[in-house]
């Protein structure tokens, strides 16, 4: 069980908002004093295409930390990305496991609109993967020339070898 593996139990709020995505139950639990910053509820609430639980959690003071944008970028939902950014999510905050949102967007092959939105909101176009590969070079390697061009126009261009240019 989770308790045996981690020594702690997941909250009822996580069950309501992060697993079954029930806005009414989420609202009731928050009204009863559930902690919106339990480390799981907000992150997993994003898995639902309907962000009603996410909105309730943020309204109750949930903090957007760590890989919240990366989690949203797991799904092709630009409106959700726009919503989180409008509520203060940082386009330059990620996690050691998922990296930064711009890199994650490229790895998930999100549209140029996704990348453009991240850049408009202040994402650093010069970020690199944990292995030191630039966002620009990663986009080219993954066959995303439009994204690479967007990054280039944002100042992330770098010289490529003849081999890289050929590929």
């Amino acid at each position: 069980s989770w308790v045996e593996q981690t020594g702690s139990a997941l909250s009822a709020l996580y069950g309501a908002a992060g697993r079954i995505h029930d806005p009414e139950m989420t609202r009731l639990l928050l009204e009863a004093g559930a902690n919106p910053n339990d480390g799981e509820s907000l992150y997993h609430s994003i898995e639902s295409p309907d962000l009603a639980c996410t909105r309730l959690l943020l309204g109750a003071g949930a903090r957007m930390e760590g890989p919240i944008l990366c989690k949203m970028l797991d799904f092709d939902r630009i409106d959700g990305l726009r919503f989180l950014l409008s509520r203060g999510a940082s386009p330059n905050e990620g996690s050691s496991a998922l990296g930064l949102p711009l890199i994650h967007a490229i790895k998930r092959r999100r549209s140029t609109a996704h990348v453009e939105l991240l850049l408009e909101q202040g994402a650093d176009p010069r970020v690199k993967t944990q292995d030191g590969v630039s966002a620009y070079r990663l986009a080219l390697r993954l066959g995303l020339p439009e994204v690479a061009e967007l990054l280039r126009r944002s100042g992330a261009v770098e010289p490529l070898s003849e081999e890289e240019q050929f590929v």
Side-chain angles (χ1 to χ4, degrees):
S1 78
W2 177 262
V3 174
E4 291 168 348
Q5 292 174 9
T6 66
S8 64
L10 293 171
S11 71
L13 185 60
Y14 162 74
R19 295 294 294 166
I20 63 172
H21 311 290
D22 184 323
E24 183 59 22
M25 189 180 298
T26 300
R27 184 186 61 74
L28 289 171
L29 288 166
L30 289 167
E31 287 175 358
N35 179 5
N37 291 302
D38 62 7
E40 295 291 338
S41 295
L42 182 62
Y43 180 84
H44 289 286
S45 72
I46 291 169
E47 294 166 357
S48 173
D50 175 5
L51 296 179
C53 292
T54 304
R55 291 176 195 281
L56 287 166
L57 291 163
L58 290 171
R63 293 182 304 273
M64 288 188 279
E65 301 173 319
I68 198 77
L69 288 181
C70 290
K71 182 64 171 178
M72 180 55 76
L73 288 162
D74 283 343
F75 310 99
D76 189 10
R77 299 194 317 247
I78 196 164
D79 288 342
L81 178 63
R82 188 174 290 112
F83 170 71
L84 292 178
L85 287 164
S86 76
R87 295 296 300 262
S90 172
N92 293 306
E93 187 175 339
S95 73
S96 58
L98 298 176
L100 294 169
L102 185 59
I103 295 294
H104 198 69
I106 295 167
K107 286 180 178 179
R108 290 294 193 182
R109 298 178 174 276
R110 294 297 164 236
S111 70
T112 54
H114 286 83
V115 173
E116 190 169 34
L117 180 58
L118 288 168
L119 291 168
E120 286 171 2
Q121 294 298 311
D124 181 357
R126 293 171 194 85
V127 296
K128 295 185 177 187
T129 67
Q130 293 171 341
D131 298 334
V133 177
S134 71
Y136 174 75
R137 189 167 260 132
L138 181 64
L140 289 174
R141 286 181 181 178
L142 293 177
L144 302 171
E146 298 87 8
V147 169
E149 176 58 22
L150 181 60
L151 291 165
R152 187 193 65 74
R153 288 194 316 259
S154 297
V157 71
E158 61 186 90
L160 300 175
S161 69
E162 284 186 35
E163 284 179 343
E164 289 173 314
Q165 290 176 32
F166 176 75
V167 172

